[in-house]
Amino acid sequence: MTLAPPADGTVPGILHVHTNRSDGLSSPDEIAVAAARVGLKFMVFADHGNATRRPDPPQYRSGVLCFDGVEISTSAGHYVAIDMPAAPYPLAGEARDVVEDVRRLGGFGIAAHPDSPKLELKWREWTAPFDAIELLNPDTAWRLWVEQASAPATRWAARRKLALAALDYAYRSAEVMASLIQPTGVLYNWEALTRRRRVVTLGGVDAHAKLAPRSADPGDSRFALPFPGYVASLRVMSVHVRPERPLTGTDAAADAPLIMRAIRAGHLYTAVDAVATPASFEFSATNDRATVYEGDEIGAGAPVTLRVRSNAPPGFTTDVWKGVAVLSGGHHEQEFTVGTTGEPAVYWVEIRATGQPNPLSWVRSNPIYVRGAEPLARVPQRPPATTSVPMFDGKTATNWRTEHDPTSLVAMEVTPIVGGADLRFRYGLAGGAPGGQVATLVYDTPRGVASSDRVTVSIRAEHPMRVSVQLRGGAGEAEGERWERSIYVDPTQQDRTVYFDDLMPVGHTHTFRPDLADIRGVLFVVDARNTRPGDSGRIWIRKAALEK
Ligand SMILES: [Zn+2]
Ligand SMILES: [Zn+2]
């Protein structure tokens, strides 16, 4: 359905596009040509990587402002990081660590495809402080597109054949399809987060210009079909961002911060253009003190008037949501207001293309947050340790030694400082492809660590890096099994505490948590997960203790 041009001051673009630098089909320039053809004004590339590649600066290609992001694989799904410099070390490992690293680097992180049917891809770490989440996602977008191709509109007829052919490869369950149009677990998860903090919601097109069957990773091109091409995939949906002022359209350095600030603020809505295009949409909230727009917060305490304006065709239905309940549904008018109390709540809007067999989501807003004065999130603090058994006393390295793979190097010395000594650890990982490179500082604990519940180190490193603190079993079934927690270390000496009940298994272990009585070593591991092969450096430990 083609609608009158929008006049809502937004700029349409898409996030999460793959190029031939990873598993996409085309170059950034070629994709920009395709994006220009469908009227997009900006685009964010998110090729698979570990964030160590220096991103291209924002630039206009064929009139489309192109940003360079990265899609990072974590232990709990994919995380798209944008608006960030190159990382000083490979970002990988636990999702909570990657989220922390992206934040430290000043980036904006998007939890990708949280309802993907494929577990390795799907975002599963709901407690990490990610910035945004894809609630209209690539896989569902494809199904939506396929669905739309069977609608009577003749402009889709040509694509229907392609779509139906692809169905043989790509068919997935109707439940996932339905996730677009009614609350699913993912929506509930997101809503629960918004009560505590802002979480930007957006659609990620995840365009590869190829479609993988249900069991294949999108990155596995053996199973990918050259379907349906970037132009078609870029037509599926767009993110409409509302910058503070109009873009110049030519000056990337001036325009890029406007787009990124608006994305970070959640000043955007997602439109499924395959349903009707172009969308025009505004959502605001007014109380006796202020008027704010989607993505913003407004103070609680006074009645709020929500205002919705769109160019929705008459058959479409607009619902105003309060959390996961419809506050005011069934609107067919293009402009209306809804009055509500001033209590803390999260409001958002969805417009659906009703009047067809499968009502489809067309526009989904970001929330307006009505907030009280109460602090939203409190980080629970652990009680301080009352017992402390030194592992390193500032004099001698009793019980300490090193381990390494056959080609990497490692050395340990006690180096005097004023009033004591540091334990200095030097490592040089072997070059080549990332594999088994490892350099480890070991503290032997022949009698286990059952009388403690944490290890605390005062530590610094020559350059920013991650060190994996591990416990290693040495008795019975647990022999050689390890549990770990990664810590960030940089040239500023800082105390880092690792709680044993916060450790995660390294590979397969017989028990999810270690039996502390069976632990025979506390390990400080530098390996190829977060350190580039061929890199070397030094780490200094001032103090280390087993505590409880
Ligand atoms: Zn992904
Ligand atoms: Zn992707």
Side-chain angles (χ1 to χ4, degrees):
M1 194 181 300
T2 306
L3 305 173
D8 63 2
T10 63
V11 177
I14 61 170
L15 300 117
H16 197 162
V17 178
H18 291 267
T19 77
N20 59 5
R21 294 179 304 192
S22 65
D23 57 349
L25 206 59
S26 305
S27 70
D29 281 327
E30 291 165 333
I31 301 166
V33 169
R37 278 178 59 194
V38 303
L40 298 176
K41 301 296 183 207
F42 76 91
M43 194 161 41
V44 179
F45 300 124
D47 280 302
H48 298 285
N50 61 20
T52 55
R53 178 180 64 79
R54 185 190 299 274
D56 294 338
Q59 58 189 295
Y60 273 102
R61 302 176 194 255
S62 304
V64 178
L65 181 55
C66 295
F67 297 88
D68 200 11
V70 58
E71 182 170 18
I72 304 162
S73 295
T74 81
S75 65
H78 288 176
Y79 198 52
V80 172
I82 65 177
D83 204 16
M84 183 177 87
Y89 53 85
L91 303 193
E94 283 192 55
R96 54 183 169 173
D97 297 330
V98 172
V99 169
E100 177 191 301
D101 286 343
V102 167
R103 177 158 291 201
R104 183 183 302 105
L105 290 163
F108 181 80
I110 304 163
H113 35 69
D115 49 5
S116 169
K118 196 152 191 248
L119 192 66
E120 308 91 277
L121 314 181
K122 164 189 172 134
W123 185 260
R124 310 184 298 281
E125 178 50 277
W126 289 91
T127 56
F130 54 82
D131 302 299
I133 185 151
E134 288 179 353
L135 283 187
L136 288 164
N137 78 14
D139 289 320
T140 37
W142 283 119
R143 276 184 300 282
L144 173 70
W145 191 87
V146 167
E147 186 76 20
Q148 186 60 25
S150 59
T154 52
R155 58 186 294 223
W156 296 104
R159 295 196 189 117
R160 178 163 60 193
K161 273 192 189 124
L162 279 174
L164 294 177
L167 267 179
D168 289 335
Y169 296 90
Y171 181 76
R172 293 198 186 99
S173 67
E175 298 91 294
V176 188
M177 173 71 202
S179 71
L180 268 176
I181 50 175
Q182 62 193 38
T184 65
V186 167
L187 191 63
Y188 285 114
N189 287 351
W190 166 72
E191 191 272 340
L193 289 180
T194 61
R195 288 185 228 167
R196 303 200 305 271
R197 64 184 187 87
R198 296 155 45 85
V199 185
V200 174
T201 159
L202 43 78
V205 171
D206 205 6
H208 294 73
K210 52 192 177 187
L211 189 59
R214 103 192 271 176
S215 59
D217 190 282
D220 188 343
S221 56
R222 281 178 307 153
F223 298 104
L225 300 172
F227 164 87
Y230 281 101
V231 171
S233 71
L234 301 182
R235 276 203 175 109
V236 171
M237 59 168 27
S238 51
V239 167
H240 290 243
V241 171
R242 183 171 281 108
E244 299 144 29
R245 56 175 188 273
L247 304 186
T248 67
T250 51
D251 184 349
D255 293 346
L258 295 174
I259 294 292
M260 282 300 154
R261 273 207 296 276
I263 292 174
R264 286 174 181 267
H267 294 166
L268 63 91
Y269 63 90
T270 301
V272 181
D273 298 301
V275 171
T277 192
S280 181
F281 173 79
E282 287 173 281
F283 177 39
S284 64
T286 302
N287 66 9
D288 58 357
R289 281 156 287 174
T291 293
V292 301
Y293 297 88
E294 60 175 325
D296 292 337
E297 295 187 8
I298 190 168
V304 175
T305 301
L306 304 170
R307 178 193 187 86
V308 179
R309 185 158 60 184
S310 78
N311 63 347
F316 285 28
T317 302
T318 304
D319 297 328
V320 177
W321 291 74
K322 178 183 184 182
V324 289
V326 173
L327 171 73
S328 176
H331 291 271
H332 297 291
E333 60 272 42
Q334 292 192 331
E335 184 167 358
F336 61 91
T337 59
V338 176
T340 182
T341 65
E343 64 177 333
V346 175
Y347 299 101
W348 55 284
V349 176
E350 183 174 49
I351 305 177
R352 289 171 299 132
T354 42
Q356 15 184 317
N358 290 307
L360 302 170
S361 183
W362 177 49
V363 163
R364 194 179 282 175
S365 79
N366 259 276
I368 290 175
Y369 308 84
V370 180
R371 298 294 201 205
E374 291 294 300
L376 289 169
R378 282 188 206 86
V379 181
Q381 296 290 323
R382 304 245 195 175
T386 52
T387 65
S388 181
V389 179
M391 299 157 67
F392 176 62
D393 57 6
K395 297 186 198 79
T396 55
T398 312
N399 294 333
W400 291 88
R401 58 190 175 82
T402 60
E403 294 175 0
H404 58 93
D405 71 281
T407 49
S408 297
L409 301 171
V410 59
M412 178 193 73
E413 298 95 2
V414 175
T415 59
I417 54 164
V418 176
D422 277 340
L423 191 59
R424 187 176 71 185
F425 173 52
R426 289 183 290 160
Y427 65 88
L429 292 192
Q437 294 97 329
V438 60
T440 304
L441 185 60
V442 183
Y443 177 75
D444 290 314
T445 57
R447 283 174 300 280
V449 295
S451 56
S452 47
D453 66 2
R454 68 192 77 173
V455 57
T456 296
V457 283
S458 183
I459 190 169
R460 69 189 160 96
E462 196 164 11
H463 47 69
M465 64 184 300
R466 278 193 170 274
V467 175
S468 175
V469 179
Q470 304 182 357
L471 295 186
R472 182 166 62 193
E477 282 195 318
E479 179 155 8
E481 292 185 346
R482 290 175 289 140
W483 293 262
E484 69 164 337
R485 182 80 186 94
S486 169
I487 59 172
Y488 171 78
V489 184
D490 69 15
T492 309
Q493 182 168 300
Q494 291 190 54
D495 288 346
R496 298 266 181 241
T497 297
V498 169
Y499 296 91
F500 297 156
D501 64 6
D502 199 25
L503 298 170
M504 296 297 284
V506 178
H508 173 78
T509 54
H510 283 84
T511 54
F512 184 67
R513 301 285 185 213
D515 182 340
L516 298 180
D518 289 342
I519 293 302
R520 293 293 175 267
V522 180
L523 281 52
F524 298 83
V525 179
V526 176
D527 63 22
R529 184 181 64 196
N530 291 117
T531 299
R532 267 183 283 223
D535 276 4
S536 58
R538 292 175 293 178
I539 297 168
W540 293 267
I541 291 177
R542 179 73 42 96
K543 271 184 266 167
L546 291 165
E547 298 185 325
K548 185 164 189 161

